[in-house]
Amino acid sequence: MPPSFPYGDPNFQDISFLARDGRNVTIPLYMIDVFCQYNVRLCINLGSQLGASVVLLVFLLLLTHSDKRRSSVFILNGLALLFNVLRLLFQTIHFSTPFEKVYPFFSGDYSSVKPGAYAISIFGVVFETMLVMCIMASLTVQVHVVCKTVQRRFRRPLLAFSLLMALIPIGFRMGWMVINCIYIMAAKSTTGYVWLESAVNIVITISICFFCAVFVIKLGHAIKQRRRLGVRDFGPMKIIFVCGCQTLTIPALFSILQYFAHVPELADNVLTLVTLSLPLSSIWAGAALENARQIETPRNPRNLWSAFAFGISRTMPTHRSGTEMTATGYTGQTLCYADQQISKHSQESEMPLAIAVEHDISVESIRRSPQDQSAA
């Protein structure tokens, strides 16, 4: 058996080293373990977020139709993913700079830190502020699109309040960015401004919950109206509703848990979860809409993924009649009956027809026979 340590647990013994100015610095040994483990855990968390953001950014560019790439929502979501990638990249590189070495951290002597390390830390803070601005702008635009059918007397106050809810987090975040950059250049701790960091997190969480609540309430009401009309398919509207509920609950849960669980990595996941949820809902809804349409007419690939997978020139399928296209459509169609007179020599009592209506929705129409009309 190894001999017992005379001073208790050896992990809690003090170690000393000399600073550059000749003073003696004494720290507990376990603090070095805590310091190293914290950096490793945070790097793993940042790396996983970085990988997920890069993958979703590539998918967004490949799977978005060409006619949607000029929309403001696509541009804002793409910029949010790009800024999130840059933010995570600079924050990960930060842990390889002299700021995160044992001697500068515990001695407070940052004279050996190069100007490039300061620039890396500042870039991470600036890109995080730009990410918040893109998220809030995207949420505001989507609320404007969702509430277009609301009456004007309700829509204008709602949009004004939405704009206010977007500007408040941006203002708090910009103030925290300025203070953080000042203290980075001075190589000092921001312990005195913990309240401001917490306030930034709170207002961002409240703002995200507000926007997602608007999505969920408006889309839930629309889904309820569609169910009354007989449309029960799992379409794009329900997909966006599900993603809205996800964006409403999961980031808020992570934001609240950081005040009760001593896991510092939780706070850094909130912005990434929101950034991933916004384009993911549009990609999923667009794929579901494309599958539901089942367009058989020849066309060129509308997204880069189709061009890469199948080539630009494709074999042109044969045309089908309106009756065949209606029969192969999805099951979530609304039945519409047209009372029209049919000649007595007609032997077909019910004949499906295809009617083209707005939003590319195929509505099935059924003619009634004279016997059915007299019975009605």
Side-chain angles (χ1 to χ4, degrees), residues 135-137 139-145 147 154-170 207-208 210-212 214-215:
I135 290 175
M136 295 303 160
L139 291 173
T140 305
V141 171
Q142 293 186 49
V143 166
H144 175 69
V145 173
C147 297
F154 298 115
R155 183 174 70 250
R156 289 184 175 179
L158 180 60
L159 293 179
F161 189 71
S162 301
L163 186 61
L164 179 63
M165 292 296 293
L167 291 176
I168 291 176
I170 293 175
S207 179
I208 292 172
F210 165 76
F211 284 112
C212 295
V214 173
F215 296 153

Side-chain angles (χ1 to χ4, degrees), residues 58-84:
V58 173
F59 281 177
L60 181 65
L61 296 176
L62 292 179
L63 299 179
T64 302
H65 292 169
S66 57
D67 54 345
K68 300 294 183 181
R69 293 185 191 133
R70 296 183 179 180
S71 63
S72 58
V73 175
F74 170 78
I75 294 174
L76 290 172
N77 290 340
L79 287 176
L81 281 171
L82 178 62
F83 290 148
N84 194 50

